[in-house]
């Protein structure tokens, strides 16, 4: 193999410790906590590397969480007790063992990371984040989202517990890629798509590349099914047998009360408006103020009180930055004559300006 790189055992420990610190920062699952304990107690050098990197990390919470996982005391240096010959033999044995360990763990971990992977990703209210999964799939999460990822040898399954995500799926015909949200599953048939979960029974799917099959979560798609369905039409016998729907690039599916409504064909402007959050923007084009404020509220702790029944039905148009409450309120006042009053840090009262 021409692309083999030699790593010192210290370099390898530093690299592994860095991965663990990053994982702690994102949040560890129960399985990862157990794995971290095993790795940290294999060697004092492992613990040294962890605490050394944790003290340099930007977030003090990482060091605090690491300290809570297990106590650590810096090892006391011991005087040399080996003779020159014994020490030399020991070093040779250690070197050979380290090389074998490095290569076996390097290739094995790379293979295992790809074949078996489990992790939970989260974003806070107003936060957006992008992650690259072991198979090179790129996931972009919107505000207040929780995504559970579970890869196995024959399938890639993700559970969107809340929020919204964009999935740029790496092609792998041997392992179907499925996102489960509420009581629907979305299986990528080589694609880029966006899933928004409003409630367990109200969902939105926008496909921007390839196609996606909507089915019941109990529908299990294996590699042979995937390759057969990939080229199937929405009206094919296979799709009908699964009671599924196929959504292709440039289309949108709305699921209301667990029922998939007729598929919508989207214009370029429609797609841009639906996916504006990926550029941290919100685009409104004639939506009611009530609908607009509901969307705005996904990105902030601020809540709005409408003091006039007419307010909810006012039509809103414009481009706003997510989380920019001041810009929104100023625009409402300038364009629609809607006045506001702050009732607290996270409460705003809206009224229609008196006509003079």
């Amino acid at each position: 193999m021409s692309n083999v790189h030699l790593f010192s055992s210290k370099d390898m420990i530093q690299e592994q410790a860095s991965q663990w610190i990053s994982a702690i920062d994102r949040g560890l699952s129960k399985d990862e906590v157990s794995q971290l304990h095993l790795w940290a107690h294999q060697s004092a050098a492992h613990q040294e590397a962890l605490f050394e990197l944790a003290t340099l990390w930007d977030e003090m919470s990482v060091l605090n969480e690491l300290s809570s996982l297990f106590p650590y005391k810096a090892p006391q240096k011991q005087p040399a007790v080996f003779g020159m010959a014994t020490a030399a033999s020991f070093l040779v044995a250690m070197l050979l063992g380290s090389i074998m360990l490095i290569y076996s763990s390097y290739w094995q971990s790379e293979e295992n990371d790809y074949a078996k992977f489990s992790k939970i990703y989260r974003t806070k209210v107003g936060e957006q984040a992008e992650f690259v999964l072991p198979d090179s799939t790129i996931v972009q999460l919107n505000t207040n989202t929780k995504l559970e990822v579970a890869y196995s040898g024959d399938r890639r399954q993700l559970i969107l517990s809340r929020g919204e995500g964009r999935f740029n799926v790496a092609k792998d015909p041997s392992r179907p890629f499925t996102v489960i949200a509420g009581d629907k599953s979305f299986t990528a048939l080589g694609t880029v798509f966006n899933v928004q979960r409003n409630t367990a029974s109200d969902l939105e799917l926008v496909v921007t590349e390839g196609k996606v099959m909507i089915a019941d979560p109990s529908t299990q798609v294996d590699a042979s099914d995937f390759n057969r369905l990939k080229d199937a039409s929405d009206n094919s016998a296979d799709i009908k047998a699964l009671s599924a729907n196929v959504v292709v690039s440039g289309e949108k599916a709305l699921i209301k009360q667990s029922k998939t409504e007729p598929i919508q064909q989207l214009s370029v402007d429609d797609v841009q408006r639906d996916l504006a959050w990926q550029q941290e923007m919100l685009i409104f084009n004639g939506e009611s103020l009530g609908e607009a404020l509901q969307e705005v509220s996904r990105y902030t702790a601020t809540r709005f009180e409408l003091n006039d029944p007419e307010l909810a039905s006012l039509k809103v148009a414009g481009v706003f930055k997510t989380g920019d409450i001041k810009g929104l309120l100023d625009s409402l006042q300038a364009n629609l004559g809607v006045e506001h009053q702050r009732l607290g840090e996270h409460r705003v009262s809206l009224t229609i300006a008196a006509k003079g």
Side-chain angles (χ1 to χ4, degrees):
M1 296 182 183
S2 59
N3 293 324
V4 172
H5 299 279
L6 292 176
F7 296 94
S8 69
S9 57
K10 184 176 180 180
D11 290 338
M12 182 61 69
I13 290 173
Q14 288 289 324
E15 174 65 24
Q16 292 172 325
S18 177
Q19 293 174 3
W20 277 120
I21 293 298
S22 297
I24 292 172
D25 190 24
R26 292 193 300 267
L28 296 175
S29 66
K30 290 183 179 180
D31 288 342
E32 287 175 324
V33 170
S34 300
Q35 294 170 17
L36 175 57
H37 271 279
L38 288 173
W39 187 82
H41 287 91
Q42 286 174 358
S43 165
H46 291 183
Q47 297 181 32
E48 284 181 356
L50 280 171
F51 277 87
E52 179 182 346
L53 290 175
T55 57
L56 299 175
W57 201 254
D58 289 340
E59 299 289 339
M60 280 299 296
S61 59
V62 172
L63 180 60
N64 294 336
E65 184 170 349
L66 183 62
S67 300
S68 68
L69 290 174
F70 55 86
Y72 169 71
K73 293 182 179 180
Q76 300 295 321
K77 292 186 178 180
Q78 300 294 329
V81 295
F82 297 107
M84 291 297 291
T86 305
S89 299
F90 179 75
L91 288 174
V92 169
M94 283 290 290
L95 179 61
L96 291 173
S98 297
I99 292 173
M100 293 177 66
L101 177 62
I102 290 168
Y103 279 111
S104 64
S105 63
Y106 178 75
W107 296 113
Q108 186 176 32
S109 65
E110 192 174 66
E111 180 181 349
N112 289 342
D113 283 347
Y114 182 77
K116 190 174 183 181
F117 178 78
S118 177
K119 195 167 191 62
I120 297 176
Y121 296 95
R122 295 182 178 88
T123 55
K124 302 174 184 176
V125 172
E127 179 185 16
Q128 296 175 350
E130 184 174 287
F131 305 96
V132 181
L133 303 183
D135 64 338
S136 298
T137 289
I138 300 173
V139 175
Q140 185 178 356
L141 299 184
N142 200 1
T143 175
N144 192 26
T145 296
K146 179 182 177 183
L147 179 72
E148 302 175 52
V149 180
Y151 279 18
S152 64
D154 59 356
R155 70 181 68 250
R156 296 171 290 173
Q157 181 171 288
L158 299 83
I159 300 176
L160 185 65
S161 301
R162 65 171 181 268
E164 183 173 14
R166 174 185 183 269
F167 306 91
N168 189 343
V169 183
K171 291 180 172 61
D172 184 353
S174 66
R175 294 196 304 165
F177 184 100
T178 298
V179 176
I180 296 175
D183 50 14
K184 293 294 180 182
S185 68
F186 304 89
T187 299
L189 304 177
T191 190
V192 180
F193 65 103
N194 191 94
V195 176
Q196 179 178 335
R197 177 175 179 175
N198 301 316
T199 67
S201 59
D202 290 357
L203 309 160
E204 294 182 25
L205 167 71
V206 175
V207 180
T208 53
E209 183 180 318
K211 56 185 178 179
V212 173
M213 183 183 74
I214 307 174
D216 186 271
S218 61
T219 302
Q220 296 291 331
V221 179
D222 58 25
S224 60
D225 294 326
F226 172 83
N227 291 306
R228 189 175 66 256
L229 295 169
K230 186 172 59 173
D231 300 318
S233 67
D234 193 11
N235 295 317
S236 71
D238 289 324
I239 295 297
K240 288 182 177 180
L242 295 173
S243 299
N245 297 96
V246 171
V247 183
V248 302
S249 178
E251 292 184 343
K252 176 179 181 177
L254 293 177
I255 293 101
K256 299 289 187 181
Q257 296 297 312
S258 301
K259 294 183 179 179
T260 303
E261 298 186 348
I263 307 301
Q264 302 176 18
Q265 182 69 43
L266 300 178
S267 67
V268 174
D269 289 341
D270 291 334
V271 173
Q272 183 180 14
R273 185 165 58 252
D274 278 343
L275 304 182
W277 70 267
Q278 295 169 13
Q279 281 72 50
E280 299 184 2
M281 305 298 293
L282 296 175
I283 301 176
F284 299 114
N285 186 26
E287 288 85 351
S288 70
L289 179 58
E291 293 172 328
L293 292 179
Q294 185 177 7
E295 182 67 13
V296 169
S297 295
R298 295 175 59 206
Y299 299 86
T300 175
T302 300
R303 294 296 173 258
F304 302 91
E305 298 179 6
L306 306 183
N307 292 325
D308 192 312
E310 295 181 19
L311 279 170
S313 59
L314 291 176
K315 301 302 181 182
V316 179
V319 180
F320 304 91
K321 184 171 179 60
T322 56
D324 182 11
I325 302 302
K326 183 180 183 303
L328 172 68
L329 295 176
D330 289 346
S331 178
L332 290 176
Q333 186 166 13
N335 297 298
L336 298 176
V338 177
E339 295 182 344
H340 62 271
Q341 179 182 3
R342 288 195 173 271
L343 305 178
E345 184 179 359
H346 299 300
R347 288 177 61 209
V348 175
S349 173
L350 299 179
T351 57
I352 296 179
K355 297 179 181 180

